[in-house]
Amino acid sequence: WEQCKVFAGLGDHAEVPVDPNTHTDEYKKVVAMVLDSFGEGAAKKRTIHDIYRLENPAMYTFYAMTRDTIAQGPTANPSKTYGENANEKMLFAGERVQLNMLSIKKFGFDTRTAAEGAYGKGLYFGSKATFVDNGRCFQNPKNGTKELFLCRVTLGLPTTGKQGIRRPPYLDEKKGASSALYDSCHDGLSSPDLYVIFNSKQVYPEYRVVYE
């Protein structure tokens, strides 16, 4: 009960505009991450209209706790740093339906609604904004602008995913249930374009970006 009181005191969520004049460095950083991920040619055709920082203390607390657990858990390599073991990346995600966007801002991503994919039934994130831009984001019917999330995702130790799985594979398949699990999955490329997580606490939607 005391723990519940702590989280209750963290307050509700807020969406704060990142003003290019008052938050110059932060604004430039986010713009660069989005446009650079499109590639030089495509980036010239894109315009960033608005950036919003999502501030949800309770959601971030659970995310940070999960990041700590992974960074110091059974997949952690003692010879690596905390950051290397957490393997936190800024990745892209989107939703075609505006109502789902609103739900994510307030409650976060939900693995219970995850659809089946080529690398498992989980939450998919792209290392490039093109993953979202190609039909996986909300597009405003009034002005044509699109919206995406730029998220903090703790990947820990990933492995190649496969269709049908609902959690990461065992570290040692021969040991089965006595073995720890990998922390996430990816598409198997040497520099993955897609990552999949099966625990919604491994992601924090940090920014909502409006662009065209």
Side-chain angles (χ1 to χ4, degrees):
W1 290 110
E2 289 302 316
Q3 189 78 344
C4 291
K5 292 179 183 178
V6 171
F7 288 125
L10 291 174
D12 201 359
H13 73 292
E15 189 173 51
V16 180
V18 179
D19 191 306
N21 298 312
T22 57
H23 304 92
T24 306
D25 291 342
E26 182 181 13
Y27 186 88
K28 288 182 178 179
K29 180 187 72 174
V30 176
V31 168
M33 282 192 284
V34 175
L35 294 184
D36 288 352
S37 74
F38 275 112
E40 186 176 352
K44 294 179 180 179
K45 302 176 183 178
R46 308 292 175 181
T47 301
I48 304 296
H49 287 283
D50 298 292
I51 298 173
Y52 300 91
R53 185 192 320 113
L54 306 182
E55 299 183 353
N56 190 322
M59 190 195 306
Y60 186 80
T61 298
F62 282 115
Y63 171 75
M65 291 170 61
T66 303
R67 181 179 58 196
D68 287 348
T69 299
I70 290 176
Q72 303 172 64
T75 62
N77 186 331
S79 65
K80 292 185 177 181
T81 65
Y82 171 95
E84 289 172 330
N85 281 317
N87 193 15
E88 182 182 67
K89 293 184 182 295
M90 297 299 290
L91 301 174
F92 298 95
E95 281 288 342
R96 298 184 182 91
V97 181
Q98 188 177 34
L99 185 62
N100 292 344
M101 296 281 290
L102 296 174
S103 178
I104 290 171
K105 287 193 295 182
K106 187 171 184 178
F107 303 110
F109 290 88
D110 191 341
T111 52
R112 293 172 298 181
T113 63
E116 181 63 76
Y119 307 105
K121 188 175 183 179
L123 301 173
Y124 281 69
F125 299 87
S127 59
K128 300 175 183 177
T130 48
F131 165 67
V132 178
D133 188 61
N134 295 328
R136 295 183 178 87
C137 64
F138 169 69
Q139 185 165 13
N140 192 317
K142 295 181 179 179
N143 58 21
T145 58
K146 297 180 178 181
E147 299 184 17
L148 58 77
F149 287 114
L150 180 57
C151 308
R152 288 184 179 272
V153 185
T154 294
L155 298 168
L157 182 63
T159 188
T160 303
K162 61 182 179 180
Q163 193 168 21
I165 61 174
R166 294 174 179 268
R167 57 159 175 71
Y170 292 115
L171 285 172
D172 189 338
E173 291 288 352
K174 293 181 179 179
K175 292 183 178 180
S178 64
S179 171
L181 302 175
Y182 284 92
D183 300 305
S184 62
C185 292
H186 54 58
D187 55 18
L189 300 176
S190 57
S191 296
D193 290 326
L194 293 177
Y195 292 93
V196 190
I197 60 171
F198 304 86
N199 178 357
S200 58
K201 300 299 187 293
Q202 285 178 238
V203 54
Y204 180 77
E206 188 156 2
Y207 296 101
R208 179 172 68 91
V209 180
V210 182
Y211 71 100
E212 68 175 327

